Amino acid sequence: MDSLSVGQARRIALVAQGFRDPRHTRPTMRTFDRTLARTGVLQVDSVNVLQRAHYMPLFSRMGAYDTDLLARAVEGRPRRLIEYWAHVQALMPVELWPVMRHRMAHYQRQRGKWGSEGVTDELMTSLLAEIGERGASTARELDDGLPRKKDHWGWNWSATRRALDAMFSAGEVAIARRNGQFECVYDLPERVLPAAIVNAPTPAPDEAARELVRRAARSHGVGTEQCLRDYYRMGVAEARTAVRELVDAGELLPVSIAGWKRPAYLHHEAARAIPRRVGARALLSPFDPLVWERERAARIFGFDYRIEIYVPAAKRVHGYYVLPFLLGDRIVARVDLKADRRRGVLVVPAAHGELGAPGETAVELAAELAAMAAWLGLEAIEVQPRGDLAGALTAAVESLG
């Protein structure tokens, strides 16, 4: 096969991401492992207006699950996931730690990812020794206690926090877990990761690049070189070489997709059966792998999407924390959502339908909102009158009783 329609590409992408896998009545760790194999990574983000970002792709694919599954995967034995700069900061399978060592070495040379003001060798040596002696610790616990203040969009980091971030980027410390305040708890890698991972050999740079592109292609199903490169945020040259080598090996198949200007590559496993139908129904986090590359979302779904969190309220078009709604194989609506935990209410500040959304959109969306509310432990849904879908959604929610 050397060409695909946009519909075929869209369905291939949905299957690759796990949206045709059956939802289990009670998802187990086996369900979790299957889903993680589809997404590859879970992006971490601090926004908690609805639910933390890394929990959401699992719900979108598995349905209501016990979030303790993720806690067990991150903190249990054997540990399945570890945080690192895979895509952006994300939970990735522990076996990717050796693959990321070249990235770690790069960050070590440049003293971290975000700059090294106030970070000295003496400070990092001291922190490493203190963590070694006292055990897993937050930056606040290791800090000199000086007050910090909020400025603009975030925290002014202390030198300790910058040093720990540089050490984390370089693989010299690992994140053991997040505490109740969502602070990173740092520890020595050998106390966080399985010994087999710590002692595993470092693959050659070209081998590591091929593995990342291979995983990206499996998770995307089909995509351009840019799509494959973005999944693990790779450099242009290393990704291009890896794509060419995987084509030569028969793992990637060059294809053209109708209306796409750039050549695309089909994962060899996805080529075995092109799906004719995908009957998905899911709310997607703004950080879901299906839509996190906005140009790809536009090409595959005809969906123009941007996060408006940092846009002043008066200038927001669709809302603060807006989730696309996937129905069948199309994104048919978008809803601004907020969990009002004090009142036990899932609030819908705005609901907008997409052009050509089917007549059942509001009813199907109401059912998915009810499932999400139950998963979050919220007792009611409140639809506010903003957006062209709000009226129909209000009626559909009320009909649920």
Side-chain angles (χ1 to χ4, degrees):
M1 175 172 293
D2 56 8
S3 65
L4 297 169
S5 68
V6 174
Q8 287 175 318
R10 183 169 59 246
R11 292 189 290 275
I12 289 168
L14 288 166
V15 171
Q17 279 288 317
F19 285 101
R20 203 173 61 168
D21 295 340
R23 288 186 175 183
H24 295 167
T25 303
R26 186 169 179 240
T28 65
M29 189 57 81
R30 288 185 65 183
T31 322
F32 176 94
D33 288 341
R34 180 191 68 182
T35 304
L36 183 66
R38 299 291 198 182
T39 65
V41 292
L42 300 170
Q43 182 172 336
V44 174
D45 188 82
S46 61
V47 176
N48 196 26
V49 67
L50 179 68
Q51 173 61 290
R52 302 282 189 197
H54 47 295
Y55 290 99
M56 281 298 301
L58 300 170
F59 172 76
S60 299
R61 291 154 179 78
M62 300 194 304
Y65 71 100
D66 184 349
T67 55
D68 186 56
L69 287 176
L70 184 55
R72 285 166 51 197
V74 173
E75 300 179 35
R77 296 291 183 268
R79 176 186 285 265
R80 288 170 162 81
L81 297 173
I82 187 75
E83 273 194 52
Y84 191 64
W85 289 105
H87 190 65
V88 292
Q89 193 150 341
L91 290 165
M92 68 179 189
V94 293
E95 63 265 23
L96 276 181
W97 186 268
V99 177
M100 293 293 180
R101 286 187 184 135
H102 300 290
R103 190 169 296 187
M104 294 171 184
H106 168 74
Y107 289 138
Q108 185 179 50
R109 289 190 294 271
Q110 69 175 34
R111 285 289 183 90
K113 188 174 177 64
W114 305 115
S116 56
E117 180 184 354
V119 177
T120 64
D121 290 340
E122 292 77 14
L123 176 58
M124 291 191 290
T125 299
S126 173
L127 288 169
L128 204 58
E130 189 168 356
I131 291 171
E133 182 177 341
R134 68 183 289 167
S137 307
T138 66
R140 187 160 45 87
E141 291 166 338
L142 295 164
D143 215 342
D144 58 8
L146 293 176
R148 288 176 288 179
K149 60 180 175 138
K150 276 195 171 180
D151 186 21
H152 302 296
W153 292 108
W155 289 97
N156 284 333
W157 284 5
S158 66
T160 297
R161 180 67 176 85
R162 288 193 294 273
L164 287 167
D165 186 72
M167 294 161 69
F168 160 70
S169 300
E172 295 166 351
V173 296
I175 295 176
R177 62 184 183 279
R178 297 272 183 159
N179 67 13
Q181 290 73 49
F182 205 61
E183 295 173 299
C184 298
V185 181
Y186 300 93
D187 206 346
L188 305 180
E190 58 267 28
R191 294 201 298 231
V192 175
L193 290 155
I197 299 298
V198 173
N199 298 324
T202 301
D206 58 343
E207 182 183 349
R210 283 195 300 274
E211 180 61 17
L212 292 179
V213 171
R214 179 182 292 120
R215 287 173 178 254
R218 187 179 297 119
S219 291
H220 268 326
V222 65
T224 65
E225 181 188 299
Q226 178 181 328
C227 296
L228 301 180
R229 182 173 72 243
D230 177 77
Y231 211 87
Y232 290 97
R233 294 291 168 92
M234 301 174 66
V236 173
E238 62 173 345
R240 182 163 296 163
T241 299
V243 167
R244 184 174 64 249
E245 292 170 346
L246 291 173
V247 168
D248 291 344
E251 294 187 49
L252 296 182
L253 309 176
V255 293
S256 62
I257 300 175
W260 291 25
K261 295 180 180 179
R262 298 174 182 168
Y265 301 91
L266 178 66
H267 190 266
H268 68 102
E269 293 175 356
R272 294 173 186 169
I274 307 298
R276 294 184 177 181
R277 180 180 180 276
V278 175
R281 190 185 76 187
L283 286 158
L284 306 173
S285 159
F287 308 105
D288 192 290
L290 189 67
V291 294
W292 67 24
E293 216 284 283
R294 306 310 192 206
E295 183 180 336
R296 176 180 170 86
R299 286 197 303 266
I300 287 185
F301 293 104
F303 186 66
D304 184 16
Y305 186 38
R306 69 168 181 158
I307 298 177
E308 298 182 87
I309 290 173
Y310 301 115
V311 176
K315 295 184 177 181
R316 291 179 194 138
V317 177
H318 296 106
Y320 178 79
Y321 198 75
V322 176
L323 282 72
F325 178 51
L326 173 69
L327 186 62
D329 67 353
R330 295 181 178 274
I331 294 174
V332 299
R334 61 185 92 196
V335 283
D336 188 14
L337 293 181
K338 177 182 179 181
D340 187 334
R341 299 173 179 88
R342 182 182 60 82
R343 293 193 297 137
V345 175
L346 178 61
V347 181
V348 186
H352 294 84
E354 295 298 297
L355 185 65
E360 67 271 20
T361 295
V363 171
E364 295 287 352
L365 177 54
E368 196 63 18
L369 288 170
M372 174 176 281
W375 176 59
L376 294 174
L378 304 173
E379 298 174 354
I381 302 169
E382 176 184 288
V383 182
Q384 298 179 353
R386 182 185 173 205
D388 59 4
L389 191 61
L393 183 59
T394 298
V397 167
E398 289 174 351
S399 72
L400 294 175

